[in-house]
Each structure stands twice: as C-alpha cells, then as structure tokens.
Amino acid sequence: MQKPSLPKGTRDFSPVQMARRNYIFGVIKETFELFGYQQIETPSMENLSTLTGKYGEEGDQLLFKILNSGDFLKKTTADDFAAGAKAMLSKIAEKGLRYDLTVPFARFVVMNRNDLQFPFKRYQIQPVWRADRPQKGRYREFYQCDADVVGTESLSCEAEIILMIRRVFKRLGLLDYSIKLNNRKILTGIAEVMGAEGMEGPLCVAIDKLDKIGWSKVQEELLQRGFDDGGIQKLQPIIDLKGNIPEKIEFLKEFLKQSEIGLKGLNELEGVIDTLKQMGENLDFVEFDVVLARGLSYYTGAIFEVKVNNVSIGSVSGGGRYDNLTGVFGMDDIPGVGFSFGVDRLYDVLEELDLFPEAALEGTKVLLVHFDKKGYEYGLGLITKFRENGIRAEIYPDSVKIKKQFDYATKKQIPFVAICGDNEIVSKTIALKNLDSGEQSSLTLAEAIDRLN
Amino acid sequence: MQKPSLPKGTRDFSPVQMARRNYIFGVIKETFELFGYQQIETPSMENLSTLTGKYGEEGDQLLFKILNSGDFLKKTTADDFAAGAKAMLSKIAEKGLRYDLTVPFARFVVMNRNDLQFPFKRYQIQPVWRADRPQKGRYREFYQCDADVVGTESLSCEAEIILMIRRVFKRLGLLDYSIKLNNRKILTGIAEVMGAEGMEGPLCVAIDKLDKIGWSKVQEELLQRGFDDGGIQKLQPIIDLKGNIPEKIEFLKEFLKQSEIGLKGLNELEGVIDTLKQMGENLDFVEFDVVLARGLSYYTGAIFEVKVNNVSIGSVSGGGRYDNLTGVFGMDDIPGVGFSFGVDRLYDVLEELDLFPEAALEGTKVLLVHFDKKGYEYGLGLITKFRENGIRAEIYPDSVKIKKQFDYATKKQIPFVAICGDNEIVSKTIALKNLDSGEQSSLTLAEAIDRLN
C-alpha cells in the first residue's frame, strides 16, 4: 500500500490556514473593488508560445511544461531523441503552467481589446507555478494577487495604488511600514550623469543589492559591469542622499539638470506626491528612495515597494509603471501601472505580529450535543432554526459520550455548546454553554438565537 | 509578431462572468459554512502515483502530466524511446494535474489524520483538469465545488446535504427542481432478486442510460452484459414503479424481502427521510428514484442527484455515501458522504432563467467626471470621502471630453456619475446623475454619500 506524499514545493492548506488566507484575500479584494478594479481569471495553462521568451532564459527553464495528451511521441524521431531534451521539448509539449499573472493579463488584453473599456482596471488572484528549487518561504505553487490599470498615463493611478496599499495595511492592523517610491527614469538619468548612458539596466541590478552586500561591494560590481571609476564616484552623493522628500527633489533637480529623461522622472514623482496631497493624504509613510531599483526590466516610470518594519520578512508588496505591456503580442503599446501583494509573506507577517483577528476566523458558532436518541431528535428539531437565523450551527451526528462531543467543539474552536438533555426537552429550552468562560444558561430557542447573533 | 490564443478547452473569465461566478460561489460557501463545513485547498499538482489507477483506464488517459524539470530525458534510454510513449512516460513525468477533488481529499485525510477532528466536514472549491475532447459545455479546466463529511455513518449527514442543496437553490432563486434519492444497496438488492448477485455494477451502468436510450435498449444492454431473460423480466416492475415515497418503500419491502442488503439500503433511505421530517422539512421536492444509479463505483449507500426542471441542462448537483475513501492509501476504511455542485451548469441555468440579481453584480457605484484640471483636482479632493464611507468610487483619470467619461461609466455599468464642474466647485457640491433614470441633483458631499449608501 502506497504512502501518499505531496510533490516537492507544494502545500495543502488546512481549514485554519484557509480561514486566515481568505481573511487576507477578503481585505485585498474589497479594497481593489472600492477603487473600481474588476476581477478576471485566466486559465492555468497557456500555450508555450505565449509564455516562452517572456521571463528571460532562466524563466523559461522554470516553466512547468505539460506533456501533450495521447501518444506524445508521435511527432518525434529517433534523431530528436538523440538530440536531447531541448529538441524533444517542442514536439512533446505545447502547453505550460502560468508563471505569473502579467503575461496572461497582456494576452487577455490583446485578445479582448475590442470588448474592454479603457482605462481597464483589473485584478487577478490566482496561483502561479515555478520549477524553482524549493526552500523556506519559496514554493513551486503560490498565489499572486495583482492589480493593474492599463490604457492611461495618469499619475492618479500611482497615487491610488499607494492609497490601496495603505487601506489594506490599515485593515490588516499593520501600522508600521514604509512605502518606498522611485522612478525608473530617474535611474536612467543617474546613469546618464555617470557617463554611462543606456546602462541603467546593470546599474539597477547592482544597486538593488545595496541592502544585502553594502556600498563597497556594489562599487566592485559596477566596475565589473563596465562602469568607470569617475562615474562610480559621481554616484556617491546619491548613495549618501538623506533628507525629506522636498530636500531630495531639490538635490536631484540640480544633480539631473543635464538629463532630460531624469528630470522627466523627477517630474512624474512630484506629480504622484502632489496628487496624494490633493487627495488629502499625509505623506509620513512615503519614502523617496533614490536607490530603489526593482529587478523587473519592463518598468519605465514609477516604481514602489513596501516593507513592514520590525519583522524579519522582506517586501510584501511592490509594482511599477510600464510603457509597453502588450507590444510582444503585436498590439500597439499600451501603458499601464500595476502592483501586487505577496500573500504568503503577508500571512507570515500577520502571524509574526499576532494580528489575525479571532472574529474573522470564526467558523461554527454552536454545536448541539445530546445524551441519547431523544435528545438527538430534539436537537434535529431545533438546528434549522439556528441556521435560518444565520447562526452557523452543527449537531453532533453520532451517539457518543458527551465528553467526546465537547472535545469536538473544543478542537474545532466552536465557542458555544447547546446541550439537549431531558430537562431541556421537558422545559422546551436548551442549556447554552460558553466554552471559553464556562458560563451556562438555560434559554429558550429565541433567547439562544438572540445570544448567539 | 505572434497572435496569441488560448489552449483548446480553456477559458478566460471576464469581469462580468467573474462577478456572476463569485455570486454563485458566495452562496455555496456561505451555505457550507452555515452547516459547519470548513474549506481546504490542495495543490494543483499531485504525484502521478497518487492519481494513477484511481479513475479507471480512461481516467488515466485523461490526466494531464507535467514534464519533469531540467533534462527530463536523463533517465531514459533509446530502448525506452523505441518502446513508445507508455514506456517513456514514467521516466519523464512524475506529476500530474488534479483530475478531481476527491482523490486529493482522500490523500489529505490520510496525511493529516492525526491533526484532523473527526467527523471532519470539509469543502473545497478549486479547478480540475481533464484532457477530454472539448465540446459545448465541456472544458479541459473547470471548477469543482465539493463538500464531504468523513468519519461518521450518521444519516443526518445525508439529510443535511439535502438541506444544503435546498438552501443554495432557494438563495439562487431556483424554485422548480427535484432532488432524486436512492441507495446503492437497494440496487445491489435488486441485482440479487434478479438472480444476478454481485452484478450491481453493470446493472447500474445499464439503467443509468434509461433516460437516454429507453427501456427496450436497456434490456438489450443487460442481455449483452450477461443478465438472463428471467432476471430482466423481474426488473420490469421496478422500471414501472410509480407512487409517492411511502408507496415505493412499501413495494420494495416486499420486492427485496429475500435480500438482506437490499432491505438495509431501504432502511437507510427511510432513515434519511425520517431525519428530514424530524428537522421539520417538507418532502415535496424529494423524489425516491429507484433507477437512479450514478456512474461512480465507489458509492455504497445513499446516492442523490438534482435536476432543475424546465431547463435544457442536465443534473447540477449530486453525490453519495461511500464506505472506503482512504483504503487505497492504506488507511483504515473511513466512511463518508459527499456531494458537489456543477458551477458551470448552475451558471448556465441562472443565465437561461435570467436569475442573476443586478445588485449582486454591481461594481463601481459612482464615477467622478470633470471638464478641466480644476474640476479634476476638486474630484481628487472628494473621492477618498466616498471610499471611506464604503462607496465604490472612481475618478476618470485622464482629461478627455465629458462624453467619453460618460461612455466609460455606461460601458462599465456604473449607475451614478458625479459631475465636478465650475458651479459645483463654487457651491461646494457635486451634480449627481443617475444614469438609468437621467435624474440629476445638486448635492453636498454628505448628501451624495447618503444617497449612494
């Protein structure tokens, strides 16, 4: 007899974990919808032609591929086999599992362009799959939770993303965090000022590591990546930059004065800040982080990242603006801005800070228990009334010792037990016991419903 | 430039479709939880060793298999290749996509048996994948929506499943339907009476087709499947059986009097009916259908199926009791009973009967529109107040003609538009227009919030 197991890097979610995850998803969904975002879903499988080449060479390696159905070898020859996995692949697999939600969204926009109303605000909460080496906190199947608005360049979208993040965090009870804001064009401008025009890509990769490896190692890496010493020295004041937002803007206006694109980025950043002010928001939680780079290369405007303070977990949300979501599928460039929440990380943060509210996780409210067939039948006659009044109720289904029934309630964290004994049958009541306080009252059905509502 | 497409048999879900699907899922989830069921999720991928051999030979063919990562050919030889797909399969694929929710649930129970509280009531709403030939209404990826209780033989579970189905249908506005009820043991007993002990399997397969092919074709099939003429004649009164539930029970008590197991099944069926009565339910909607067989071979007790009347769609819900969910994974037999809703079919039924309620599908409630920068900034200053009061609100993000902004509201089915013009700025009001009635009022922010709440 086989002993079953889970594929590496995958997880089951128990009822308690699901209740907690649903709580997080609920707050996020409600917030997205408050801001006018609409949900879509795309299939788990996409054609490999849709996925391949969109995530770099490493990404292509990490795609899960689905074997063609039926005789999957029928298009292959012994020569293909001899040529190895790469030659075989395209002949035995045409589909792969979704690697992120962005590429499927781009495909969706292109395929539905005539039916969509632009600006199109969509959110999407679905699992993605990556054949990564599993390790603590990194899974091969995990949910992504994305919101994007496409078809507009309005900076109000950036401002609203910041407001959505704030609302989600407030609802989750997360009060100590910072939203780091930057703009890719500023980084492009900095590269220009360094005399390394067009090298913002490697610049971003290197300074993205500042937190992890420190400034002197970043300098080494910049040298290796082809920056010259003079350029790197020009970066020094950027690395040292301190002050509030207006002070940093002031400094960069001077620093970037020779770079048109740099000044444009700075202007966009000011526009986001101004919009937030016009919306009546205080800016204490926003940090202008000139060295925030974010890895993804398709960002072209604002970029942001959120970190909860005083926890061991990295960024829990981030995103940015892009010029060209759909170009790869042959549709005229559509600009947009998007962000996502890392739900697994938010879960860990809430757990670490003990912020999951008990009420949100409550399941069954009352368990009807009984000593004998008469009590059981009495309970059967009552339970529908509880449910009709919206009270989540169960009756213990078997005739077992009362202690076992109480144990069931305790282990399932059911807060109340309704005892259906002989006295209760005679007096047409139930004995309602609060398992937390131990308090027990003899109540009519109507009273019990009142108490539990 | 490639033109993107979807894999055969898969679908995107648009915002409107998602809102409708979420409405159905919401009603089902709320009902499951009212009855004490808890949600779990299992991974999309399972080891092929978990899946294979559980769905018959045809099912094994329909499993989507996932190619091993990296050099998937490394365990194969030219001899394997020459031997064909079957020989290659086990060496290049170790994982497959979930085919249903039952086998993953059984695996979950076995792996978590020490942490679960029995009786364990779980529900699960996730997609499954089958490499079936796509056709109208049949997809390669579709959601299943299952609830099972395991670890008890109490007939109250069957009764509660019927109550859950009733509640879901009532909430969805589906009033004309019938719940067909039968018991596998009765079918076993009928086979015994026919002189074909142990042949309830083929009997079920044949009479399952009664609706489709008619009684004379079923007789032919029974002959082919090895039943003799005398036996088939004994089936005649079962096929002809009419009357209400007590009359049918009366008839079968006599018909099955030589079959211990048949009488046991009849007894269980009476038990379910009695429990429903004890719970105060009327039984008008329950039909005792002695020829209801249901295909799945693992059912051993009650079986049921729900059909909406006066629509072209087949059964939308069904399930049954089983003795042995986990035996295949080496865990002592765990009895249980479960059922599922066919969400795609429910969707089609609600659409056909025009039962989707507009209120449940409403997205954004109000769009703020503006003629110029001043109006836009005025709107920015107001919008947060709407949202703080729980009103889903958007501001049109770009400076475009007012007509285009109104079009956006109309196409997104936003019922109200709040006009931010010069008059409104001066009088600190907004002009709130109901796009349905055309009615427009000049309101303070507080009044507008009142009106929209």
Side-chain angles (χ1 to χ4, degrees), chain A residues 301-321:
Chain A
I303 44 178
F304 32 82
E305 196 166 280
V306 189
K307 209 186 160 330
V308 180
N309 297 325
N310 304 315
V311 293
S312 55
I313 290 137
S315 84
V316 294
S317 178
R321 177 171 280 283

Side-chain angles (χ1 to χ4, degrees), chain A residues 106 109-110 113 118 150-151 323-335, chain B residues 1:
Chain A
V109 169
V110 173
R113 63 180 111 181
F118 292 99
V150 294
D323 279 342
N324 185 3
L325 179 71
T326 53
V328 68
F329 294 119
M331 183 174 173
D332 278 356
D333 300 354
I334 290 213
Chain B
M1 204 63 81

Side-chain angles (χ1 to χ4, degrees), chain B residues 355-367:
Chain B
L355 286 175
F356 284 111
E358 267 183 47
L361 308 176
E362 193 178 82
T364 298
K365 187 94 175 187
V366 61
L367 175 72

Side-chain angles (χ1 to χ4, degrees), chain A residues 19-208:
Chain A
R20 290 174 167 192
R21 288 168 67 83
N22 283 337
Y23 163 69
I24 296 173
F25 287 135
V27 169
I28 292 173
K29 285 182 69 164
E30 186 205 16
T31 303
F32 287 161
E33 289 173 7
L34 197 61
F35 283 73
Y37 286 73
Q38 298 178 303
Q39 190 172 15
I40 69 161
E41 283 190 5
T42 64
S44 303
M45 325 174 162
E46 295 278 354
N47 291 320
L48 281 175
S49 56
T50 299
L51 300 175
T52 309
K54 309 302 188 297
Y55 307 106
E57 207 172 310
E58 202 204 8
D60 286 351
Q61 299 286 335
L62 299 183
L63 291 172
F64 278 110
K65 286 108 183 166
I66 295 166
L67 209 49
N68 294 342
S69 327
D71 177 10
F72 54 85
L73 291 180
K74 66 173 177 262
K75 292 184 197 158
T76 62
T77 64
D79 284 350
D80 295 326
F81 180 77
K86 216 163 178 176
M88 288 283 279
L89 180 63
S90 64
K91 301 195 170 175
I92 65 173
E94 281 158 13
K95 295 179 291 291
L97 291 177
R98 188 168 55 214
Y99 180 88
D100 71 359
L101 302 179
T102 304
V103 168
F105 174 53
R107 180 202 44 74
F108 177 92
V109 169
V110 173
M111 287 179 65
N112 296 281
R113 63 180 111 181
N114 296 324
D115 303 319
L116 295 178
Q117 182 55 31
F118 292 99
F120 179 51
K121 295 168 138 182
R122 89 85 171 79
Y123 77 87
Q124 193 169 350
I125 301 177
Q126 293 192 273
V128 301
W129 296 268
R130 297 180 185 180
D132 242 324
R133 192 179 299 275
Q135 57 186 56
K136 192 180 174 317
R138 192 200 283 165
Y139 302 98
R140 293 185 147 192
E141 174 179 54
F142 57 96
Y143 272 76
Q144 285 194 338
C145 192
D146 282 21
D148 289 77
V149 47
V150 294
T152 172
E153 294 187 322
S154 169
L155 298 174
S156 69
C157 304
E158 278 86 335
E160 292 203 338
I161 286 173
I162 289 172
L163 295 182
M164 286 192 275
I165 293 169
R166 287 205 76 194
R167 185 178 191 278
V168 165
F169 276 42
K170 189 174 174 191
R171 294 275 156 149
L172 294 177
L174 287 169
L175 304 176
D176 189 9
Y177 62 92
S178 46
I179 302 179
K180 294 180 179 187
L181 186 62
N182 197 10
N183 191 298
R184 266 295 167 90
K185 296 188 182 80
I186 294 177
L187 293 165
T188 304
I190 290 172
E192 285 185 13
V193 171
M194 289 169 74
E197 198 176 326
M199 285 172 70
E200 64 271 17
L203 175 67
C204 286
V205 172
I207 65 173
D208 216 16

Side-chain angles (χ1 to χ4, degrees), chain B residues 368-382:
Chain B
L368 278 62
V369 301
H370 38 83
F371 299 93
D372 52 24
K373 189 158 185 289
K374 252 170 54 198
Y376 173 66
E377 289 180 359
Y378 181 67
L380 285 178
L382 297 178

